Amino acid sequence: TAQSKTLHRDIAETSERAMMSNFSGVLSVVGVIESPTQPIPAQFRFDASRASDGECLSRKIFAQAMNVPEEFVHFIPPALISNTDDMASMYVSPKKQDARSNDRAVLVDISSTTNRSYGIHSSNVNSDPRCNDLKIRLTNSITMAGQYLPVFVQLPGFSESEIPRSKVPKGVVLFEVRGLTPDGNINPFSAQVGYVAFIRGNEKDCEAEVFRHYEQKVRQPSVDKIRQNLHLDPSQPIARAVVTIDGGVPQLIAHMESTGQKVE
């Protein structure tokens, strides 16, 4: 069952202090100071004549904070700035239930005590009032330029008999599916692919393992492709990729590992 946010969390997420903290954090990583040895390509230079008042103010704030002239401040292309959000989107019933099972609910107390999102929610006993359905999670990443990164679907909660530990030690089986894309139902010739991860339930560190696959198969190839399309050398400061992640520590760990950062 869904739970309302606590007052403390609501204030922490919506207060002016929280908004200023978010703004400062984002501004500090999307701003780029031009170096005489690495000039910013003309198409990515800040154009005040086309910028909004907010963009100009952000540039001014960044320049003051970094103690540099405004004309040296530019911003990372919107296509290299993305946000990732992971959510449980639906439940499906893999088998026909009797009439008495229509009102079943997913209860907190039957979930995994370590990670409810990846616990086994079904008992496979028809007389049990708990939910025997399959949870589906979607991981969505969208850039500021409106690009949607490849579809990544998670199916958690499988039993050990379904995903044997002897064959899959880490509990994650990943399939590449051609046509699993936003336009897959209207473009039969699409060669683009999406991904479906089958995940063993109640598996320690399974969430981090899932997102290691996400970083390797989705995020990094997408960033590389965007840089290629923009004709940017990854070593250029203006080619830095910025990612915001609305998720837990395991997701952050997987992302940091993918970028070569030490995780403690």
Side-chain angles (χ1 to χ4, degrees):
T1 55
Q3 294 181 341
S4 299
K5 294 181 179 179
T6 63
L7 179 60
H8 174 77
R9 180 179 175 184
D10 186 57
I11 294 175
E13 292 181 348
T14 61
S15 68
E16 290 184 5
R17 179 178 179 180
M19 294 302 101
M20 285 303 299
S21 176
N22 289 336
F23 168 75
S24 301
V26 172
L27 184 60
S28 68
V29 293
V30 300
V32 177
I33 301 174
E34 185 174 24
S35 167
T37 59
Q38 286 186 307
I40 302 296
Q43 66 268 38
F44 302 115
R45 299 182 67 83
F46 188 87
D47 186 352
S49 66
R50 300 177 60 186
S52 66
D53 292 342
E55 290 170 326
C56 291
L57 178 58
S58 296
R59 187 191 195 198
K60 182 177 181 180
I61 293 173
F62 185 91
Q64 290 179 348
M66 298 299 178
N67 195 27
V68 296
E70 280 188 48
E71 58 266 27
F72 291 164
V73 176
H74 305 276
F75 293 105
I76 292 170
L80 286 172
I81 304 172
S82 64
N83 177 68
T84 298
D85 194 4
D86 177 58
M87 62 180 181
S89 61
M90 65 185 77
Y91 287 83
V92 297
S93 182
K95 62 180 181 179
K96 184 177 180 181
Q97 304 287 358
D98 57 45
R100 293 174 299 174
S101 66
N102 292 336
D103 296 325
R104 292 184 179 185
V106 177
L107 307 175
V108 172
D109 62 347
I110 69 165
S111 304
S112 167
T113 57
T114 57
N115 191 332
R116 292 207 311 267
S117 296
Y118 293 89
I120 298 177
H121 288 273
S122 61
S123 64
N124 293 321
V125 178
N126 283 332
S127 61
D128 196 308
R130 298 175 293 187
C131 180
N132 281 316
D133 295 349
L134 178 67
K135 182 192 303 189
I136 299 177
R137 298 180 65 89
L138 293 178
T139 303
N140 302 297
S141 289
I142 302 175
T143 73
M144 283 188 61
Q147 297 147 319
Y148 185 81
L149 271 59
V151 174
F152 193 87
V153 181
Q154 302 179 42
L155 303 177
F158 285 88
S159 67
E160 190 163 343
S161 63
E162 293 169 313
I163 302 181
R165 193 176 304 276
S166 59
K167 295 183 178 180
V168 189
K170 296 185 177 180
V172 179
V173 179
L174 189 69
F175 285 89
E176 183 178 285
V177 183
R178 180 175 176 177
L180 184 60
T181 61
D183 69 338
N185 63 331
I186 59 175
N187 182 9
F189 304 105
S190 174
Q192 300 301 311
V193 300
Y195 298 89
V196 179
F198 294 82
I199 308 161
R200 189 165 56 238
N202 296 338
E203 185 69 28
K204 183 181 179 181
D205 298 328
C206 69
E207 185 175 3
E209 182 64 18
V210 169
F211 283 96
R212 290 186 186 101
H213 285 289
Y214 186 80
E215 294 292 336
Q216 295 168 5
K217 296 292 187 178
V218 177
R219 193 188 313 284
Q220 195 55 55
S222 297
V223 169
D224 292 342
K225 184 65 175 179
I226 290 171
R227 285 174 175 151
Q228 181 181 348
N229 291 341
L230 295 176
H231 305 289
L232 284 173
D233 184 331
S235 65
Q236 294 175 279
I238 198 69
R240 180 170 65 237
V242 175
V243 178
T244 60
I245 299 175
D246 183 13
V249 172
Q251 294 184 37
L252 182 60
I253 289 175
H255 177 68
M256 293 178 67
E257 288 177 346
S258 73
T259 58
Q261 300 180 64
K262 184 178 180 180
V263 180
E264 297 180 352

